[in-house]
């Protein structure tokens, strides 16, 4: 029998790039590291929050709504994209400082 590969880059779905990220960000280099790793937080990505229910105490949220308007403002490092989104409960402004072109093309009124 062949020797068992203990590096996480050999796991299906991981590969060299993700293995490098896991090593750099979390210090995970082997299967043993991965087995003994216990995440300290969990982000529920199945829950959709109504805009009216958003509170400052909520760290992560997902909203589903209609893009009402979008506008790129500023120059150079102060350049940003402002997008107004609404649902049946209200409206909110989202401001993006990175990925302006990509978000502008995807978030169409």
């Amino acid at each position: 029998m062949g020797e068992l590969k203990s590096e996480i880059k050999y796991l299906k779905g991981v590969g060299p790039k993700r293995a490098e990220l896991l090593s750099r960000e979390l210090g995970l280099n082997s299967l043993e590291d991965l087995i003994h790793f216990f995440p300290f937080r969990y982000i529920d990505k199945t829950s959709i929050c109504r805009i009216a229910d958003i509170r400052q105490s909520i760290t992560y949220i997902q909203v589903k709504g209609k893009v009402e308007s979008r506008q790129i403002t500023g120059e150079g490092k102060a350049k940003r994209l402002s997008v107004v989104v609404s649902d049946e409960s209200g409206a909110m402004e989202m401001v993006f400082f990175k990925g302006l072109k990509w978000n502008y093309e995807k978030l169409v009124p």
Side-chain angles (χ1 to χ4, degrees), residues 59-94:
T59 307
Y60 299 97
I61 62 163
Q62 286 190 123
V63 295
K64 183 177 180 180
K66 178 181 175 186
V67 176
E68 299 292 341
S69 65
R70 64 185 180 176
Q71 180 180 7
I72 294 179
T73 58
E75 298 282 330
K77 290 186 178 185
K79 197 171 186 180
R80 62 196 177 278
L81 169 63
S82 173
V83 179
V84 176
V85 178
S86 68
D87 67 10
E88 72 283 346
S89 70
M92 65 182 279
E93 178 185 20
M94 300 186 306

Side-chain angles (χ1 to χ4, degrees), residues 20-97:
E20 182 182 326
L21 177 70
L22 290 170
S23 177
R24 187 175 61 247
E25 298 286 324
L26 301 172
L28 302 174
N29 298 300
S30 68
L31 295 176
E32 185 178 0
D33 292 342
L34 194 59
I35 290 169
H36 292 100
F37 177 74
F38 299 99
F40 61 92
R41 70 174 167 245
Y42 172 76
I43 301 170
D44 180 7
K45 294 185 178 181
T46 63
S47 176
I48 304 291
C49 187
R50 292 175 351 123
I51 291 173
D53 297 334
I54 296 172
R55 299 289 176 259
Q56 195 171 13
S57 61
I58 304 172
T59 307
Y60 299 97
I61 62 163
Q62 286 190 123
V63 295
K64 183 177 180 180
K66 178 181 175 186
V67 176
E68 299 292 341
S69 65
R70 64 185 180 176
Q71 180 180 7
I72 294 179
T73 58
E75 298 282 330
K77 290 186 178 185
K79 197 171 186 180
R80 62 196 177 278
L81 169 63
S82 173
V83 179
V84 176
V85 178
S86 68
D87 67 10
E88 72 283 346
S89 70
M92 65 182 279
E93 178 185 20
M94 300 186 306
V95 180
F96 297 88
F97 298 95

